[in-house]
Amino acid sequence: MKIVDGDKAECDRCESVFPLEDVLLLEKETNRDYERVLCEECVGVVGVPQGYTLRRDVTFLAR
């Protein structure tokens, strides 16, 4: 996960930069070390596979 300027994150799929309030965090339920930041558009393409959860509020990552 790339945090940019303390309040933005880079989407792991399309590599665009978005404010933290506009990105989602895809987490694997069986491996808490697996996290992928995705924008709304990429979540629409990828979806939420079985065994994964989607965290909608990642503003706690802001510095």
Side-chain angles (χ1 to χ4, degrees), residues 9-33:
E10 182 178 311
C11 176
D12 286 324
R13 186 171 183 273
C14 69
E15 298 181 351
S16 297
V17 176
F18 297 92
L20 284 175
E21 52 270 355
D22 293 339
V23 296
L24 307 164
L25 192 63
L26 186 66
E27 298 176 313
K28 193 169 190 176
E29 292 174 355
T30 59
N31 182 357
R32 287 294 177 195
D33 292 329

Side-chain angles (χ1 to χ4, degrees), residues 1-4 7-8 11-12 14 20-21 27 31 33 36 38 40 42-45 50 55-56 63:
M1 170 183 345
K2 289 185 181 177
I3 302 294
V4 181
D7 62 348
K8 297 177 184 150
C11 176
D12 286 324
C14 69
L20 284 175
E21 52 270 355
E27 298 176 313
N31 182 357
D33 292 329
R36 297 293 180 257
L38 298 172
E40 289 279 348
C42 289
V43 168
V45 172
Q50 185 175 358
R55 184 180 297 197
R56 297 190 177 276
R63 295 184 202 159

